[in-house]
Amino acid sequence: MKVGAGRWGGTAFVVAFSLLRIYPERDALQLQSGAPTCILSSLQTHQRRTQMPESQMPPKCEPLRNTRPARCRCLAGMPRFASQPSPAAVHLGSSQVMACEVNGDLVPFARWEKDRLPLEPSARLVQLPSGALVISNATEADAGLYRCLVENVGSSKASDEAQLQTLPETGEERKLEFLVQPAPVTKAVGADVLLPCLVTGFPAPRLRWMFGDNEGRVELLGGGSLQISNLTEEDAGVYTCAADSGNATVEAQAQLTMQVPPRFVKRPDNIYAYESMDIVFECEVSGSPAPTVKWVKNGDAVIPSDYFKIIKEHNLQVLGLVKSDEGFYQCLAENDAGNIQSSAQLRAARPAGPAPSPPRDVVASLVSTRFIKLTWRPPAEPHGDELTFSVFYSQEGTSRERVVNTSRPGEMQVTIQNLMPDTKYRFRVVAHNGNGQGESSAALKVATQAEVQVPGPAPNLQAASNSPTSVSLSWDKPLTGNGEMLTYKLYYTDKSFGSEQDVDVDAQSYAMTGLKKNTEYSFRVVANNQHGPGVSTDDIVVRTLSDVPSAPPQNLTVEVQNSKSIMLRWQPPPLSGQNGEITSYKIRYRKGYRRSEAAETTAGTQLVKLIDGLERGTEYSFRVSAMTVNGTGPATEWTAAETFESDLDESRVPDQPSSLHVRPLVSSIVVSWTPPENQDIVVRGYSIGYGIGSPHTQTIKVDYKQRYYTIENLDPSSHYVITLKAYNNMGEGIPVYESANTRPQSGTNDLDVDPYELSHAPYTPVPDPSPMMPPVGVQASVLTHDTIKVTWADNSLPKNQKITDNRFYTVRWKTNIPANTKVKTANATSLSHMVTGLKPNTLYEFSVMVTKGRRSSTWSMTAQGTTFETTPSSSPKDVTVVSKENKPRTIIVNWQPPSEANGKITGYIIYYSTDVNAEVHDWVIEPVVGNRLTHQIQDLTLDTTYYFKIQARNSKGMGPMSEAVHFRTPKSTLGGERGDRGSLPLEKTLLALQVILLSSRMFGWVGGNGESHILVIVIIISVGAFTIIVVVVGAFLCTRKRAASKSSNGSHKYKGNSKDLKPPDLWIHHERLELKPMDKSPDPNPVMTETPIPRTSQDITPADRLLILIGWFPPHLSGHESEDSMSALAARRGMRPKMMMPFDAQPPQRKCVFVRMCV
């Protein structure tokens, strides 16, 4: 971007009183001169103060519910001004800056007054992000008294007043000088940014900005400050402000860094695999800065090991799958701009038997230009009847395979379509049986036939890099091919990324833009005519040109060596921001906040530099920038350090550390200490020794700035002796000893969170000679599901613990949930603080720090508290309904747990109805235990639309219902499932007639030709014999059921405790002679099971038919009835069944009633 005439092509010069607006519909930029144009009215100012982001809301010294504690600090008293306006003089037509620096959180609440009257911003009067006021194109009316006011929580504080005088322009030349330079800034996508730039001098300088294309979103304000609205990722980079007076030129640069929240490029997919297999969960994310990715299994962090590996940056590989690996895996991505997560389920199956051997005699029976037909013979050892086959194929020279499956079991041929002509392919076939995938056949290599109708490869493909982000390509028309070339498809691949992309081109050349800087790309071209795509060219590789680095060096640290030297260390910029080979690093440093700077340069491989020859007891600021052959990139933020007043003594070893404290856990001990009291001796670091009974078993050395350390991998219930010594180049000092007993093993491991994280506690090279002691006795009292009260004591207070000075306390807390590990803080002026807005059923850790004036203590020991549970605040998600194979009257409902369960889910209730608008009490319900995520419902009506809702519950109650999901059953039944049980009475009648006919034939009665008395005798004898047989058989069967019932009642186990499942207890509905389950054993495995029940006449013997006629259903026919028979009854009767919650169900005792029923 060059702000100027034309479409960013030339250069426009903006005088101090001009306003530049850029309109997206115009090609030329218009410079509006003359009277000042107001761009920010008082109403807009009011809106900016009242409708500001949450993170900029004014802090309040009270429990915060709607603010972010990590961003909003509670100030003890009114704000202080870091700088205030000072008297100044400005020449007419020139510019001036009135300083006013306050806390960054309070800048939006700062305003200016002139002669005690509010000063409204305008095109000439612009308030900078720092709070300073820019006065451009000064006039005589600008003379007066200026002051800055900060309004905070209903009150305001004013700075000193400063007199601004206006001077007539004398015409004498004044050198160009920056009054305000642009500074590095970080912004989120979609926000606005103001880059200040103000230059004074005579002749009046002309300003211009240089960068990429921000057309339509740029304004120049207040003498040259650049404002960009609605930022995008492409706006990131180095912006240059240049001023030219005709006699001299000055310029300044600023780095604009964009923050982009993480987003998924590839989400993990559900995986169902057999045990002992290796599987990979893919998770690909993008964002700026580069997001960090963590994996979580069932809420616990996945720790890389021999079986869990992180491959290709973010993918999770599970080796040698076992049953315990099943569960839900979450990919969590987070950066400074936000966080996202996506989950997938892993289910493992154990092969029940051997897998098939390789298929035999794989041949290509038909080869064409675009397809190949393969045939084969079955494996020699199929180990099963119904085999299915998969054909894996890949183009020769590539490792990526595609797969085609046969359409039905037993089929041993497949046609591979959409192949390229005159191309070699590699094929292999794999058989599948009920136990899983078998061995692969030997690879078969086949080449497709050449095709003369499609174009050949485009000759003379050439590529040349024109700029760091563009490549020009050209090629000639293919020599072979029947027909006119319609289009060309250009394929390109980022060699560092690996995914191929394409673009359609109408001509024989193309300029590829938007590429990465200093990156290798491969290109190939495929011509297309009316017959289809032709043959691809060979790949051609080209690297884009290098550029100045777009990111500063990382992890800059400064370390004071003595009174005259400071050591700097840093890391190179991230690879994506280097944009070429780093040739050198430029170090700029200055004394305090002066504008004059000194510079040092190091080699590109040198990442450390000693700056010496400095003044004693003086603060210096440092920044480092990387350089390529193209120029200098953005610099780091200024980092300050102060040289010692005097050189410390290193002619002797350090004294003993002044204190040593230990806190034992189960398998670790947290050690904290304070430095030696004599601060005149150099301390280079600390040596920690520890062991069981002796401190000399293990030794660890830490940096001299460190005050905490966690000794890990210790044995529970063991006595450890710990020693601490300070050391320097002369040796180790006098040790201090302490001992501790680790806690006994209680079934849970130590938290995977360091309770003494010091990310917010800055180190100082020379510790305070009298540091404050941290608070003690920190306790966390859980009050509700979202509130915890934190209390503590302060040993530096009198015994009555009364606070009489201006000290305040900072409480910080964090949770152990990996997706939300940011530390939050809040300030308090008493010895307790109420932390609200917490998540239910979540473990939090709290620690406290005391601050008095400029002195602060270290963080205290931590206290923990888990908030109470509350009812689920969200419904089960991902509710799906599918039909069961070969059973059109049976459906399977699947779902996922609520995202906000607020406790352990103890059960679910499934509601279903044919009327989505029916009252809740009119819906049929199905209760399900809490560890199941699937359920089947049987005997629904065919060709009917059903609606389903699911509700979750925990120990506190029921959560909201999910949205209704509809499903329509098929129109006709499949063979093998009975269509209507209502035909049972008709079947009984037919069977009864058969029995009577059978009886008459047994006694020789075949018609009405016999004597009547013979008929009476025959009937009496038949009925008597039949009755005796039925009584004997019924008594015998019922006696066996009673014995079986007693045996089962004594050894019944729920599923999961025994491999031998007992059939459910049943009772007979007398009116309809149907079975209904009374007990459902909770099944921890959500996989649905079903035991078939005889449904055809071929499954029922003649003896069974006789028993059915008298109302007794034989036990071997009742079997393991499907667990959903209760919902089947409800569907047939058109009424709601009794709700039988299976959460705590116990097997009832059964009694046998003679002949008619067993209950």
Side-chain angles (χ1 to χ4, degrees):
M1 174 195 74
K2 291 185 179 180
V3 179
R7 197 174 185 85
W8 303 105
T11 302
F13 301 98
V14 184
V15 296
F17 57 86
S18 299
L19 171 67
L20 181 63
R21 295 186 181 275
I22 302 171
Y23 299 91
E25 68 274 12
R26 301 182 186 177
D27 289 338
L29 301 180
Q30 296 184 359
L31 187 63
Q32 301 176 355
S33 304
T37 302
C38 180
I39 63 169
L40 185 62
S41 67
S42 60
L43 176 59
Q44 292 171 323
T45 305
H46 175 73
Q47 290 173 342
R48 286 195 176 184
R49 293 175 179 170
T50 57
Q51 299 177 2
M52 56 187 59
E54 183 181 8
S55 59
Q56 298 180 359
M57 292 297 293
K60 299 180 180 179
C61 293
E62 59 184 45
L64 301 179
R65 295 181 180 270
N66 298 320
T67 59
R68 300 178 183 175
R71 299 285 304 274
C72 183
R73 302 176 179 176
C74 183
L75 303 179
M78 289 301 299
R80 295 192 305 175
F81 292 92
S83 65
Q84 302 191 47
S86 58
V90 59
H91 289 83
L92 295 177
S94 295
S95 302
Q96 184 60 44
V97 177
M98 307 297 287
C100 177
E101 293 185 22
V102 294
N103 184 297
D105 294 332
L106 298 179
V107 170
F109 309 100
R111 62 183 180 86
W112 282 87
E113 289 185 354
K114 175 178 174 289
D115 298 329
R116 300 297 179 95
L117 296 176
L119 192 64
E120 296 296 335
S122 65
R124 291 193 314 109
L125 306 176
V126 177
Q127 184 172 324
L128 299 181
S130 64
L133 177 66
V134 173
I135 304 174
S136 58
N137 192 22
T139 64
E140 293 181 353
D142 293 329
L145 293 173
Y146 289 81
R147 69 172 184 174
C148 177
L149 288 87
V150 176
E151 298 173 340
N152 182 28
V153 195
S155 59
S156 62
K157 183 176 181 179
S159 67
D160 296 337
E161 286 188 321
Q163 178 72 40
L164 176 65
Q165 297 181 351
T166 57
L167 303 176
E169 185 57 65
T170 61
E172 295 180 0
E173 181 178 351
R174 298 191 305 274
K175 69 175 183 178
L176 299 182
E177 181 181 3
F178 277 103
L179 297 179
V180 179
Q181 294 190 38
V185 62
T186 300
K187 288 288 183 179
V189 171
D192 300 341
V193 69
L194 178 65
L195 300 177
C197 182
L198 193 65
V199 181
T200 184
F202 191 86
R206 294 167 294 180
L207 269 66
R208 69 182 187 275
W209 284 88
M210 292 178 289
F211 185 65
D213 186 1
N214 310 82
E215 184 174 353
R217 297 180 291 109
V218 175
E219 284 189 7
L220 281 178
L221 308 175
S225 297
L226 181 69
Q227 177 171 297
I228 308 174
S229 59
N230 193 20
L231 290 168
T232 64
E233 293 184 56
E234 291 73 24
D235 293 333
V238 179
Y239 287 75
T240 302
C241 175
D244 185 6
S245 66
N247 299 328
T249 300
V250 295
E251 65 179 34
Q253 293 181 336
Q255 171 73 30
L256 174 59
T257 303
M258 300 304 304
Q259 288 185 344
V260 183
R263 58 176 176 265
F264 282 108
V265 179
K266 170 69 175 175
R267 293 176 178 268
D269 296 324
N270 294 334
I271 295 178
Y272 184 86
Y274 288 97
E275 291 188 27
S276 302
M277 291 180 62
D278 299 341
I279 63 97
V280 176
F281 280 113
E282 294 183 338
C283 183
E284 186 178 336
V285 296
S286 63
S288 181
T292 59
V293 174
K294 296 180 181 179
W295 283 92
V296 174
K297 175 195 173 188
N298 295 334
D300 298 326
V302 175
I303 301 176
S305 63
D306 293 338
Y307 305 103
F308 291 89
K309 297 182 181 294
I310 304 299
I311 61 174
K312 295 183 179 180
E313 294 188 12
H314 305 316
N315 295 344
L316 176 64
Q317 183 181 38
V318 184
L319 302 176
L321 189 64
V322 295
K323 194 69 175 179
S324 60
D325 293 334
E326 285 186 330
F328 288 91
Y329 289 77
Q330 291 176 285
C331 176
L332 309 172
E334 180 179 17
N335 63 9
D336 294 337
N339 61 74
I340 54 174
Q341 72 89 23
S342 182
S343 61
Q345 185 178 13
L346 172 61
R347 296 176 61 187
R350 178 178 297 172
S357 60
R360 298 174 294 172
D361 301 336
V362 180
V363 296
S365 58
L366 182 60
V367 179
S368 180
T369 57
R370 298 279 177 172
F371 68 89
I372 293 178
K373 183 179 180 180
L374 298 179
T375 58
W376 58 87
R377 294 174 56 205
E381 299 177 355
H383 299 296
D385 296 328
E386 294 187 351
L387 296 182
T388 58
F389 297 86
S390 297
V391 177
F392 297 86
Y393 68 97
S394 62
Q395 190 172 336
E396 189 176 49
T398 63
S399 59
R400 184 179 299 176
E401 286 187 320
R402 301 185 63 184
V403 62
V404 174
N405 300 319
T406 55
S407 58
R408 60 182 180 272
E411 186 178 14
M412 287 177 287
Q413 65 179 15
V414 71
T415 300
I416 312 297
Q417 303 281 355
N418 300 322
L419 301 180
M420 297 295 297
D422 195 22
T423 304
K424 290 183 179 180
Y425 288 89
R426 179 178 177 270
F427 301 89
R428 61 186 183 92
V429 184
V430 175
H432 303 262
N433 63 8
N435 302 323
Q437 178 175 303
E439 300 180 35
S440 173
S441 67
L444 174 68
K445 295 182 179 180
V446 183
T448 54
Q449 295 180 358
E451 188 175 55
V452 297
Q453 288 83 7
V454 297
N460 197 26
L461 174 61
Q462 296 182 355
S465 179
N466 300 327
S467 72
T469 59
S470 64
V471 171
S472 294
L473 299 104
S474 62
W475 57 90
D476 295 337
K477 185 178 179 180
L479 301 178
T480 60
N482 182 14
E484 183 183 357
M485 301 304 153
L486 300 179
T487 60
Y488 296 90
K489 189 174 288 287
L490 174 63
Y491 296 87
Y492 63 100
T493 304
D494 181 349
K495 302 288 283 185
S496 63
F497 188 69
S499 65
E500 188 175 59
Q501 303 180 64
D502 60 81
V503 62
D504 292 325
V505 183
D506 295 330
Q508 293 176 211
S509 62
Y510 187 75
M512 181 71 68
T513 60
L515 304 179
K516 296 180 182 179
K517 301 177 180 179
N518 192 48
T519 303
E520 277 193 348
Y521 286 87
S522 65
F523 299 89
R524 64 186 182 93
V525 176
V526 175
N528 294 267
N529 62 10
Q530 64 268 28
H531 301 289
V535 182
S536 172
T537 65
D538 294 332
D539 286 357
I540 183 172
V541 179
V542 64
R543 178 181 290 272
T544 55
L545 299 179
S546 62
D547 197 3
V548 297
S550 57
Q554 306 177 93
N555 303 328
L556 172 63
T557 61
V558 295
E559 180 181 337
V560 179
Q561 298 294 304
N562 49 49
S563 61
K564 293 186 178 180
S565 61
I566 296 178
M567 180 72 73
L568 277 69
R569 294 181 175 88
W570 63 90
Q571 294 296 323
L575 191 61
S576 60
Q578 293 183 12
N579 301 335
E581 181 183 359
I582 302 298
T583 58
S584 60
Y585 292 93
K586 179 176 289 187
I587 303 171
R588 294 185 176 91
Y589 62 96
R590 64 189 184 189
K591 187 188 301 183
Y593 293 96
R594 297 183 179 180
R595 296 180 178 176
S596 58
E597 301 176 2
E600 297 277 353
T601 302
T602 68
T605 57
Q606 184 177 345
L607 302 176
V608 60
K609 177 67 174 177
L610 179 66
I611 308 297
D612 52 9
L614 306 177
E615 298 180 10
R616 298 175 181 266
T618 304
E619 183 180 278
Y620 287 86
S621 298
F622 301 86
R623 66 193 306 182
V624 181
S625 55
M627 302 177 65
T628 63
V629 294
N630 304 88
T632 305
T636 61
E637 297 285 347
W638 288 103
T639 303
E642 185 176 348
T643 55
F644 298 152
E645 287 286 351
S646 59
D647 291 331
L648 300 181
D649 183 12
E650 202 172 4
S651 61
R652 48 183 177 149
V653 297
D655 290 348
Q656 184 184 55
S658 56
S659 68
L660 173 63
H661 303 279
V662 296
R663 183 194 177 201
L665 300 174
V666 176
S667 60
S668 61
I669 296 177
V670 181
V671 183
S672 60
W673 63 88
T674 54
E677 294 182 357
N678 187 354
Q679 299 292 311
D680 295 331
I681 303 176
V682 173
V683 176
R684 298 289 180 182
Y686 294 92
S687 175
I688 304 172
Y690 65 95
I692 298 179
S694 170
H696 307 298
T697 305
Q698 298 282 347
T699 302
I700 298 172
K701 290 190 175 183
V702 298
D703 191 79
Y704 76 96
K705 298 175 290 185
Q706 198 155 336
R707 297 293 181 266
Y708 293 94
Y709 187 79
T710 300
I711 305 174
E712 299 178 337
N713 300 322
L714 304 181
D715 296 331
S717 303
S718 301
H719 180 77
Y720 283 86
V721 180
I722 301 169
T723 180
L724 177 71
K725 295 176 285 187
Y727 68 88
N728 57 19
N729 291 334
M730 294 299 296
E732 295 180 341
I734 303 173
V736 56
Y737 293 88
E738 189 61 82
S739 63
N741 291 317
T742 52
R743 298 178 183 176
Q745 186 74 40
S746 60
T748 58
N749 298 327
D750 293 346
L751 292 174
D752 191 21
V753 178
D754 185 2
Y756 297 97
E757 187 180 33
L758 299 178
S759 59
H760 293 276
Y763 295 122
T764 54
V766 181
D768 196 318
S770 57
M772 299 190 70
M773 295 298 295
V776 297
V778 180
Q779 295 183 353
S781 303
V782 181
L783 301 182
T784 65
H785 66 276
D786 64 350
T787 303
I788 293 181
K789 183 178 182 181
V790 184
T791 59
W792 59 88
D794 191 344
N795 285 343
S796 62
L797 292 175
K799 291 184 178 181
N800 60 5
Q801 293 288 288
K802 185 176 182 180
I803 302 175
T804 58
D805 50 23
N806 63 346
R807 72 179 65 197
F808 66 94
Y809 302 89
T810 302
V811 182
R812 73 172 182 181
W813 64 92
K814 66 182 295 186
T815 177
N816 63 343
I817 299 177
N820 186 25
T821 56
K822 289 187 177 180
V823 176
K824 297 183 179 181
T825 60
N827 291 344
T829 55
S830 61
L831 297 178
S832 65
H833 181 70
M834 200 82 69
V835 181
T836 60
L838 304 179
K839 294 184 177 180
N841 193 41
T842 303
L843 176 66
Y844 287 89
E845 290 187 344
F846 302 87
S847 56
V848 186
M849 178 179 68
V850 60
T851 301
K852 181 180 178 182
R854 299 181 64 182
R855 300 168 54 205
S856 296
S857 71
T858 56
W859 291 102
S860 68
M861 295 291 184
T862 60
Q864 297 179 352
T866 302
T867 51
F868 296 145
E869 292 187 4
T870 187
T871 57
S873 54
S874 64
S875 61
K877 56 185 180 180
D878 299 338
V879 180
T880 59
V881 182
V882 296
S883 178
K884 191 167 184 178
E885 186 177 1
N886 296 330
K887 293 194 175 184
R889 294 179 182 273
T890 302
I891 59 94
I892 299 176
V893 184
N894 304 288
W895 65 91
Q896 293 298 322
S899 56
E900 297 178 0
N902 298 337
K904 181 180 179 181
I905 298 298
T906 59
Y908 298 92
I909 293 182
I910 300 176
Y911 298 79
Y912 66 96
S913 171
T914 57
D915 183 5
V916 71
N917 298 318
E919 297 293 335
V920 175
H921 58 76
D922 291 332
W923 290 56
V924 182
I925 62 174
E926 289 279 339
V928 184
V929 292
N931 57 1
R932 297 176 71 106
L933 298 175
T934 184
H935 187 71
Q936 73 175 19
I937 301 175
Q938 293 182 332
D939 293 288
L940 301 180
T941 304
L942 295 177
D943 196 19
T944 303
T945 299
Y946 286 86
Y947 298 89
F948 299 85
K949 297 181 181 180
I950 303 183
Q951 190 177 26
R953 63 166 292 172
N954 58 19
S955 61
K956 296 298 182 181
M958 306 298 296
M961 290 186 186
S962 65
E963 294 292 331
V965 176
H966 68 275
F967 179 83
R968 190 171 187 88
T969 54
K971 294 184 178 180
S972 61
T973 62
L974 299 175
E977 178 177 83
R978 175 165 300 191
D980 187 4
R981 289 189 179 180
S983 63
L984 187 58
L986 177 58
E987 187 180 14
K988 287 184 178 180
T989 304
L990 296 176
L991 288 176
L993 294 176
Q994 292 178 13
V995 171
I996 295 174
L997 181 59
L998 177 63
S999 299
S1000 64
R1001 289 177 180 176
M1002 289 173 59
F1003 289 93
W1005 180 70
V1006 296
N1009 298 326
E1011 298 294 336
S1012 60
H1013 64 276
I1014 297 176
L1015 175 62
V1016 174
I1017 293 173
V1018 169
I1019 293 175
I1020 293 174
I1021 294 174
S1022 300
V1023 172
F1026 183 76
T1027 303
I1028 292 172
I1029 293 173
V1030 169
V1031 170
V1032 172
V1033 174
F1036 175 75
L1037 294 177
C1038 211
T1039 302
R1040 292 186 61 184
K1041 285 183 67 67
R1042 179 181 298 175
S1045 176
K1046 291 180 180 180
S1047 174
S1048 63
N1049 288 340
S1051 61
H1052 182 75
K1053 301 290 184 181
Y1054 288 100
K1055 187 175 181 181
N1057 299 331
S1058 174
K1059 296 181 180 178
D1060 298 322
L1061 292 177
K1062 303 298 181 183
D1065 295 317
L1066 305 172
W1067 62 278
I1068 297 179
H1069 192 280
H1070 306 297
E1071 290 78 12
R1072 303 206 181 189
L1073 300 176
E1074 294 176 327
L1075 303 180
K1076 182 174 182 179
M1078 291 295 292
D1079 171 52
K1080 296 182 182 179
S1081 299
D1083 186 358
N1085 190 346
V1087 179
M1088 300 301 301
T1089 61
E1090 181 180 335
T1091 302
I1093 299 175
R1095 293 189 180 271
T1096 63
S1097 59
Q1098 289 80 359
D1099 297 327
I1100 303 177
T1101 65
D1104 295 332
R1105 296 177 183 271
L1106 292 177
L1107 295 177
I1108 292 173
L1109 284 176
I1110 63 169
W1112 169 253
F1113 202 86
H1116 67 277
L1117 294 183
S1118 62
H1120 296 271
E1121 188 171 350
S1122 175
E1123 64 175 9
D1124 300 283
S1125 59
M1126 181 170 68
S1127 53
L1129 282 172
R1132 290 193 300 273
R1133 296 172 189 166
M1135 57 180 292
R1136 299 177 63 219
K1138 297 178 182 179
M1139 187 176 75
M1140 302 169 60
M1141 302 301 287
F1143 310 127
D1144 302 310
Q1146 297 295 331
Q1149 298 293 329
R1150 292 189 293 188
K1151 298 180 180 180
C1152 189
V1153 180
F1154 182 67
V1155 179
R1156 286 298 296 170
M1157 61 181 178
C1158 282
V1159 295

